[in-house]
Amino acid sequence: MATALLLGLSTPAHAGGPYVWAPAGSIGKRLTICAQDLGVRHSKGGTPFAHLTSGQTFTVEHVDLEFGSEWVYGFAWGNVNARGYVQNGWFCNS
């Protein structure tokens, strides 16, 4: 049991976290980031080229599935000001 708990603490954050998912209906909406540190990537699952922090915003331009997918494409505002992918499930609002 202790090993499982330790493994759970050491794994990276994943989509479907404790926050709001961006469904397909959120295209065009500017959402607020709730994660402390959310990587912005050129490709799904790629290496982050920049990071958004809690309170910064992201405009959703594409969601792969009708009810949301693990990756969302759009424009990252704040200190990034570029288009890219972020993991879904880390928004404060939808």
Side-chain angles (χ1 to χ4, degrees), residues 37-43 45-51 85:
D37 179 46
L38 184 61
V40 181
R41 307 155 196 269
H42 291 296
S43 62
T47 303
F49 67 85
H51 296 269
Y85 288 92

Side-chain angles (χ1 to χ4, degrees), residues 12-28:
H14 59 85
Y19 302 110
V20 174
W21 275 73
S26 62
I27 293 173

Side-chain angles (χ1 to χ4, degrees), residues 28-54:
K29 291 184 181 178
R30 190 168 175 173
L31 306 178
T32 302
I33 303 299
C34 275
Q36 290 181 352
D37 179 46
L38 184 61
V40 181
R41 307 155 196 269
H42 291 296
S43 62
K44 299 173 191 176
T47 303
F49 67 85
H51 296 269
L52 290 168
T53 57
S54 181

Side-chain angles (χ1 to χ4, degrees), residues 77-89:
W77 298 89
N79 60 317
V80 178
N81 290 317
R83 282 184 169 76
Y85 288 92
V86 297
Q87 279 191 314
N88 204 347

Side-chain angles (χ1 to χ4, degrees), residues 1-23:
M1 180 69 119
T3 302
L5 290 174
L6 288 174
L7 290 174
L9 292 174
S10 64
T11 58
H14 59 85
Y19 302 110
V20 174
W21 275 73

